[in-house]
Coordinates of all heavy atoms in Angstrom, one line a residue:
L458 N 112.3 11.2 0.6 CA 112.9 11.5 1.8 C 114.3 12.1 1.6 O 114.6 13.1 2.3 CB 113.1 10.2 2.7 CG 111.8 9.4 3.1 CD1 112.2 8.2 3.8 CD2 110.9 10.3 3.9
D459 N 115.0 11.6 0.7 CA 116.4 12.2 0.4 C 116.3 13.6 -0.2 O 117.0 14.5 0.2 CB 117.1 11.3 -0.6 CG 117.5 9.9 -0.1 OD1 117.6 9.8 1.2 OD2 117.8 9.1 -0.8
A460 N 115.3 13.8 -1.1 CA 115.1 15.1 -1.7 C 114.7 16.2 -0.7 O 115.2 17.3 -0.7 CB 114.1 15.0 -2.9
Y461 N 113.8 15.8 0.2 CA 113.3 16.6 1.3 C 114.5 17.1 2.1 O 114.7 18.3 2.5 CB 112.2 16.0 2.1 CG 111.6 16.9 3.1 CD1 110.6 17.7 2.7 CD2 112.0 16.8 4.4 CE1 109.9 18.6 3.6 CE2 111.3 17.6 5.3 CZ 110.3 18.5 5.0 OH 109.7 19.3 5.9
A462 N 115.3 16.1 2.5 CA 116.5 16.4 3.4 C 117.4 17.4 2.7 O 118.0 18.2 3.3 CB 117.2 15.1 3.8
E463 N 117.6 17.2 1.4 CA 118.6 18.0 0.6 C 118.0 19.4 0.3 O 118.7 20.4 0.4 CB 118.9 17.3 -0.7 CG 119.8 18.0 -1.6 CD 120.0 17.4 -3.0 OE1 119.7 16.2 -3.1 OE2 120.6 18.1 -3.8
K464 N 116.8 19.5 -0.1 CA 116.2 20.7 -0.6 C 115.5 21.5 0.4 O 115.3 22.7 0.3 CB 115.3 20.5 -1.8 CG 116.0 19.9 -3.0 CD 115.1 19.8 -4.2 CE 115.7 19.3 -5.4 NZ 114.8 19.3 -6.6
V465 N 114.9 20.9 1.5 CA 114.1 21.6 2.4 C 114.8 21.6 3.8 O 115.2 22.7 4.2 CB 112.7 20.9 2.5 CG1 111.8 21.7 3.5 CG2 112.1 20.8 1.1
T466 N 114.9 20.5 4.5 CA 115.5 20.5 5.8 C 115.8 19.1 6.2 O 115.1 18.1 5.8 CB 114.6 21.2 6.8 OG1 115.3 21.1 8.1 CG2 113.3 20.5 7.0
K467 N 116.9 18.9 7.0 CA 117.2 17.6 7.6 C 116.7 17.6 9.0 O 116.8 16.6 9.7 CB 118.7 17.4 7.6 CG 119.4 17.3 6.2 CD 120.9 17.0 6.4 CE 121.6 16.8 5.1 NZ 121.6 18.0 4.3
K468 N 116.1 18.7 9.5 CA 115.8 18.9 10.9 C 114.3 18.3 11.2 O 114.0 18.3 12.4 CB 115.9 20.3 11.3 CG 117.3 20.9 11.2 CD 117.4 22.3 11.7 CE 118.8 22.8 11.6 NZ 118.9 24.3 12.0
Q469 N 113.6 18.1 10.2 CA 112.2 17.6 10.5 C 111.8 16.5 9.5 O 112.4 16.5 8.4 CB 111.2 18.7 10.4 CG 111.0 19.4 9.1 CD 110.2 20.7 9.2 OE1 110.4 21.5 10.0 NE2 109.1 20.8 8.3
P470 N 110.9 15.6 9.9 CA 110.6 14.5 9.0 C 109.6 14.8 7.9 O 108.9 15.9 8.0 CB 110.0 13.5 10.0 CG 109.3 14.4 11.0 CD 110.3 15.5 11.1
V471 N 109.6 14.0 6.9 CA 108.5 14.1 5.8 C 107.2 13.6 6.4 O 107.2 12.5 6.9 CB 108.9 13.3 4.6 CG1 107.8 13.3 3.6 CG2 110.2 13.9 4.0
T472 N 106.2 14.4 6.3 CA 104.9 13.9 6.8 C 104.0 13.7 5.6 O 104.3 14.0 4.5 CB 104.2 15.0 7.7 OG1 104.0 16.2 6.9 CG2 105.2 15.4 8.8
S473 N 102.8 13.2 5.9 CA 101.8 12.9 4.8 C 101.4 14.2 4.1 O 101.0 14.2 3.0 CB 100.6 12.1 5.3 OG 100.0 12.8 6.5
E474 N 101.5 15.4 4.8 CA 101.1 16.6 4.1 C 102.1 16.8 3.0 O 101.6 17.3 1.9 CB 101.2 17.8 5.1 CG 100.1 18.0 6.0 CD 100.1 17.0 7.2 OE1 101.2 16.5 7.6 OE2 99.1 16.6 7.7
V475 N 103.3 16.6 3.2 CA 104.3 16.7 2.1 C 104.1 15.6 1.0 O 103.9 15.9 -0.2 CB 105.8 16.6 2.6 CG1 106.8 16.6 1.5 CG2 106.1 17.7 3.7
A476 N 104.0 14.3 1.5 CA 104.0 13.2 0.6 C 102.7 13.1 -0.3 O 102.8 12.9 -1.5 CB 104.1 11.9 1.4
L477 N 101.6 13.3 0.4 CA 100.3 13.2 -0.4 C 100.1 14.3 -1.4 O 99.6 14.1 -2.5 CB 99.1 13.2 0.5 CG 99.0 11.9 1.4 CD1 97.8 12.0 2.4 CD2 99.0 10.6 0.6
N478 N 100.6 15.5 -1.1 CA 100.5 16.6 -2.1 C 101.6 16.5 -3.1 O 101.3 16.8 -4.3 CB 100.6 18.0 -1.3 CG 99.3 18.3 -0.6 OD1 98.4 18.7 -1.2 ND2 99.3 18.1 0.7
Y479 N 102.7 15.9 -2.8 CA 103.7 15.6 -3.8 C 103.1 14.7 -4.9 O 103.2 15.0 -6.1 CB 104.9 14.9 -3.1 CG 106.0 14.4 -4.0 CD1 107.0 15.2 -4.5 CD2 106.0 13.0 -4.4 CE1 108.0 14.8 -5.3 CE2 107.0 12.6 -5.2 CZ 108.1 13.4 -5.7 OH 109.0 13.0 -6.5
Q480 N 102.5 13.6 -4.5 CA 102.0 12.7 -5.5 C 100.8 13.2 -6.2 O 100.5 12.9 -7.4 CB 101.8 11.3 -5.0 CG 100.9 11.1 -3.8 CD 101.0 9.7 -3.2 OE1 102.0 9.1 -3.2 NE2 99.9 9.3 -2.6
S481 N 100.0 14.0 -5.5 CA 98.8 14.6 -6.1 C 99.1 15.6 -7.2 O 98.4 15.7 -8.2 CB 97.9 15.3 -5.0 OG 97.5 14.3 -4.2
A482 N 100.2 16.4 -7.0 CA 100.6 17.3 -8.1 C 101.0 16.5 -9.4 O 100.7 17.0 -10.5 CB 101.9 18.1 -7.6
A483 N 101.7 15.4 -9.2 CA 102.0 14.6 -10.3 C 100.8 14.0 -11.0 O 100.7 13.9 -12.3 CB 102.9 13.4 -9.9
I484 N 99.8 13.7 -10.2 CA 98.5 13.1 -10.8 C 97.9 14.2 -11.7 O 97.4 13.9 -12.8 CB 97.6 12.7 -9.7 CG1 98.1 11.4 -9.0 CG2 96.2 12.4 -10.2 CD1 97.4 11.0 -7.8
V485 N 97.7 15.4 -11.2 CA 97.0 16.4 -12.0 C 97.8 16.8 -13.3 O 97.2 17.1 -14.3 CB 96.7 17.7 -11.2 CG1 95.7 17.3 -10.1 CG2 97.9 18.4 -10.7
V486 N 99.1 16.8 -13.2 CA 99.9 17.1 -14.4 C 99.8 16.0 -15.4 O 99.6 16.2 -16.6 CB 101.4 17.5 -14.1 CG1 102.2 17.6 -15.4 CG2 101.4 18.8 -13.3
T487 N 99.8 14.7 -14.9 CA 99.6 13.6 -15.8 C 98.2 13.6 -16.4 O 98.0 13.2 -17.6 CB 99.8 12.3 -15.0 OG1 101.2 12.3 -14.5 CG2 99.7 11.1 -16.0
A488 N 97.2 14.1 -15.6 CA 95.9 14.2 -16.1 C 95.8 15.2 -17.3 O 95.0 15.1 -18.2 CB 94.9 14.5 -15.0
M489 N 96.5 16.3 -17.2 CA 96.6 17.3 -18.3 C 97.1 16.6 -19.5 O 96.6 16.8 -20.6 CB 97.5 18.4 -17.8 CG 96.9 19.3 -16.7 SD 98.1 20.6 -16.3 CE 97.2 21.5 -15.0
Q490 N 98.1 15.8 -19.3 CA 98.7 15.1 -20.5 C 97.7 14.1 -21.1 O 97.6 14.0 -22.3 CB 100.0 14.3 -20.0 CG 101.1 15.2 -19.6 CD 102.3 14.5 -19.0 OE1 102.1 13.6 -18.2 NE2 103.5 14.8 -19.5
Q491 N 96.9 13.4 -20.2 CA 95.9 12.5 -20.7 C 94.8 13.3 -21.4 O 94.3 12.8 -22.4 CB 95.4 11.7 -19.6 CG 96.4 10.7 -18.9 CD 96.7 9.6 -19.8 OE1 95.9 8.9 -20.3 NE2 98.0 9.4 -20.1
A492 N 94.5 14.4 -20.9 CA 93.3 15.2 -21.4 C 93.8 16.0 -22.7 O 92.9 16.4 -23.5 CB 92.8 16.2 -20.4
G493 N 95.1 16.2 -22.9 CA 95.6 17.0 -23.9 C 95.3 18.5 -23.8 O 95.2 19.2 -24.7
S494 N 95.1 18.9 -22.5 CA 94.8 20.3 -22.2 C 95.4 20.7 -20.9 O 95.4 20.0 -19.9 CB 93.3 20.5 -22.2 OG 93.0 21.8 -21.7
I495 N 95.9 22.0 -20.8 CA 96.4 22.5 -19.6 C 95.4 23.5 -18.9 O 95.7 24.0 -17.8 CB 97.8 23.3 -19.8 CG1 97.6 24.5 -20.6 CG2 98.8 22.4 -20.4 CD1 98.8 25.5 -20.6
D496 N 94.3 23.7 -19.5 CA 93.4 24.8 -19.0 C 91.9 24.3 -18.9 O 91.1 25.1 -18.4 CB 93.5 26.1 -19.8 CG 93.3 25.9 -21.3 OD1 92.6 24.9 -21.7 OD2 93.8 26.7 -22.1
D497 N 91.6 23.2 -19.5 CA 90.2 22.7 -19.4 C 90.0 21.9 -18.1 O 90.3 20.7 -18.1 CB 89.9 21.9 -20.6 CG 88.4 21.5 -20.7 OD1 87.7 21.5 -19.6 OD2 87.9 21.2 -21.8
S498 N 89.6 22.5 -17.1 CA 89.5 21.9 -15.7 C 88.6 20.7 -15.7 O 88.9 19.7 -15.1 CB 89.0 22.9 -14.7 OG 89.8 24.0 -14.7
A499 N 87.5 20.7 -16.4 CA 86.6 19.6 -16.5 C 87.2 18.4 -17.2 O 87.1 17.3 -16.7 CB 85.3 20.0 -17.2
A500 N 87.9 18.6 -18.3 CA 88.6 17.6 -19.0 C 89.8 17.0 -18.1 O 90.0 15.8 -18.2 CB 89.2 18.1 -20.3
I501 N 90.5 17.8 -17.4 CA 91.6 17.4 -16.5 C 90.9 16.5 -15.5 O 91.5 15.4 -15.2 CB 92.3 18.5 -15.9 CG1 93.0 19.3 -17.0 CG2 93.3 18.1 -14.9 CD1 93.5 20.7 -16.6
R502 N 89.9 16.9 -14.8 CA 89.2 16.1 -13.8 C 88.8 14.7 -14.4 O 88.9 13.7 -13.8 CB 88.0 16.8 -13.2 CG 87.1 16.0 -12.4 CD 87.7 15.3 -11.1 NE 86.8 14.4 -10.4 CZ 86.7 13.2 -10.7 NH1 87.4 12.6 -11.7 NH2 85.8 12.4 -10.0
E503 N 88.2 14.8 -15.6 CA 87.7 13.6 -16.2 C 88.8 12.6 -16.5 O 88.6 11.4 -16.6 CB 86.9 13.9 -17.5 CG 86.2 12.7 -18.2 CD 85.4 13.2 -19.4 OE1 85.3 14.4 -19.6 OE2 85.0 12.3 -20.1
A504 N 90.0 13.1 -16.7 CA 91.2 12.3 -17.1 C 91.9 11.6 -15.9 O 92.7 10.8 -16.1 CB 92.2 13.1 -17.9
I505 N 91.5 12.1 -14.7 CA 92.3 11.6 -13.5 C 92.2 10.1 -13.4 O 93.2 9.4 -13.0 CB 91.8 12.3 -12.2 CG1 92.3 13.7 -12.3 CG2 92.3 11.6 -11.0 CD1 91.8 14.6 -11.1
P506 N 91.1 9.4 -13.6 CA 91.1 7.9 -13.4 C 92.1 7.2 -14.3 O 92.8 6.3 -13.8 CB 89.6 7.5 -13.8 CG 88.8 8.8 -13.5 CD 89.7 9.9 -13.9
D507 N 92.3 7.7 -15.5 CA 93.3 7.1 -16.4 C 94.7 7.5 -16.0 O 95.7 6.8 -16.1 CB 93.0 7.5 -17.8 CG 91.8 6.8 -18.4 OD1 91.4 5.7 -17.9 OD2 91.2 7.4 -19.4
A508 N 94.8 8.8 -15.5 CA 96.1 9.4 -15.2 C 96.7 8.6 -14.0 O 98.0 8.4 -14.0 CB 96.0 10.8 -14.9
I509 N 95.9 8.2 -13.1 CA 96.4 7.5 -11.9 C 97.3 6.3 -12.3 O 98.4 6.1 -11.7 CB 95.3 7.0 -11.0 CG1 94.6 8.2 -10.3 CG2 95.7 6.0 -10.0 CD1 93.3 7.9 -9.5
G510 N 96.9 5.6 -13.3 CA 97.7 4.4 -13.8 C 98.9 4.8 -14.6 O 99.7 3.9 -14.9
E511 N 99.0 6.0 -15.0 CA 100.1 6.4 -15.9 C 101.2 7.3 -15.2 O 102.2 7.5 -15.8 CB 99.5 7.3 -17.0 CG 98.6 6.5 -17.9 CD 99.2 5.4 -18.6 OE1 100.4 5.4 -19.0 OE2 98.5 4.3 -18.9
V512 N 101.0 7.6 -13.9 CA 102.0 8.4 -13.2 C 103.2 7.6 -13.0 O 103.2 6.5 -12.5 CB 101.4 8.9 -11.8 CG1 102.5 9.6 -11.0 CG2 100.2 9.8 -12.0
D513 N 104.4 8.2 -13.3 CA 105.7 7.6 -13.1 C 105.8 7.1 -11.7 O 105.4 7.8 -10.7 CB 106.7 8.6 -13.4 CG 108.2 8.0 -13.5 OD1 108.5 7.3 -12.5 OD2 108.9 8.3 -14.4
E514 N 106.3 5.9 -11.5 CA 106.4 5.3 -10.1 C 107.3 6.1 -9.2 O 107.2 5.9 -8.0 CB 106.9 3.8 -10.2 CG 105.9 2.8 -10.7 CD 106.4 1.4 -10.5 OE1 107.6 1.2 -10.3 OE2 105.5 0.5 -10.6
H515 N 108.1 7.0 -9.7 CA 108.9 7.8 -8.9 C 108.0 8.7 -8.0 O 108.5 9.1 -6.9 CB 109.7 8.8 -9.8 CG 110.5 9.9 -9.1 ND1 111.7 9.7 -8.4 CD2 110.2 11.1 -8.8 CE1 112.1 10.8 -7.9 NE2 111.2 11.7 -8.1
F516 N 106.8 9.0 -8.4 CA 105.9 9.8 -7.6 C 105.0 9.0 -6.7 O 104.1 9.6 -6.0 CB 105.1 10.7 -8.5 CG 105.9 11.7 -9.4 CD1 106.3 11.4 -10.6 CD2 106.3 12.9 -8.8 CE1 107.1 12.3 -11.4 CE2 107.1 13.8 -9.5 CZ 107.4 13.5 -10.8
H517 N 105.2 7.7 -6.6 CA 104.4 6.8 -5.7 C 105.2 6.8 -4.4 O 106.2 6.1 -4.3 CB 104.3 5.4 -6.3 CG 103.5 5.3 -7.6 ND1 102.8 4.1 -7.9 CD2 103.3 6.1 -8.6 CE1 102.2 4.3 -9.0 NE2 102.5 5.5 -9.5
V518 N 104.7 7.5 -3.4 CA 105.5 7.7 -2.2 C 104.8 7.4 -0.9 O 105.4 7.2 0.1 CB 106.0 9.1 -2.1 CG1 107.0 9.4 -3.3 CG2 104.9 10.2 -2.1
S519 N 103.4 7.4 -0.8 CA 102.7 7.3 0.4 C 101.4 6.7 0.3 O 100.4 7.4 0.5 CB 102.6 8.7 1.0 OG 102.1 8.8 2.3
G520 N 101.3 5.4 -0.1 CA 100.1 4.8 -0.3 C 99.4 5.4 -1.6 O 98.4 6.0 -1.5
F521 N 100.1 5.3 -2.7 CA 99.6 6.0 -3.9 C 98.2 5.5 -4.2 O 97.9 4.3 -4.1 CB 100.5 5.6 -5.1 CG 100.3 6.5 -6.3 CD1 100.9 7.8 -6.4 CD2 99.6 6.0 -7.4 CE1 100.6 8.6 -7.5 CE2 99.4 6.8 -8.5 CZ 99.9 8.1 -8.6
P522 N 97.3 6.5 -4.7 CA 95.9 6.1 -4.9 C 95.8 5.1 -6.0 O 96.5 5.1 -7.0 CB 95.3 7.4 -5.2 CG 96.3 8.4 -5.6 CD 97.6 7.9 -4.8
T523 N 94.8 4.2 -5.8 CA 94.5 3.2 -6.8 C 93.2 3.6 -7.6 O 92.9 2.9 -8.5 CB 94.3 1.8 -6.1 OG1 93.4 2.0 -5.1 CG2 95.6 1.3 -5.6
E524 N 92.5 4.6 -7.1 CA 91.3 5.0 -7.7 C 90.9 6.4 -7.3 O 91.4 7.0 -6.3 CB 90.1 4.1 -7.3 CG 89.8 4.1 -5.8 CD 88.6 3.3 -5.4 OE1 88.0 2.6 -6.3 OE2 88.2 3.3 -4.2
I525 N 90.0 7.0 -8.1 CA 89.3 8.2 -7.6 C 87.8 7.9 -7.7 O 87.4 7.4 -8.8 CB 89.7 9.5 -8.5 CG1 89.0 10.7 -7.9 CG2 89.4 9.3 -10.0 CD1 89.5 12.0 -8.4
T526 N 87.1 8.1 -6.6 CA 85.7 7.8 -6.6 C 84.9 8.7 -7.5 O 85.3 9.8 -7.9 CB 85.1 7.9 -5.2 OG1 85.2 9.2 -4.7 CG2 86.0 7.0 -4.2

Side-chain angles (χ1 to χ4, degrees):
L458 298 178
D459 291 342
Y461 186 81
E463 177 186 348
K464 294 185 177 183
V465 183
T466 181
K467 296 182 176 68
K468 296 181 179 179
Q469 63 189 50
V471 174
T472 65
S473 54
E474 284 76 28
V475 176
L477 292 179
N478 285 281
Y479 174 85
Q480 57 192 30
S481 295
I484 288 170
V485 297
V486 171
T487 304
M489 291 178 182
Q490 295 173 313
Q491 294 290 306
S494 174
I495 68 168
D496 55 26
D497 186 337
S498 301
I501 295 166
R502 167 63 185 87
E503 186 176 349
I505 289 177
D507 291 335
I509 288 172
E511 298 297 325
V512 174
D513 191 309
E514 285 192 346
H515 172 81
F516 296 97
H517 294 209
V518 297
S519 184
F521 192 80
T523 52
E524 65 175 0
I525 184 167
T526 67

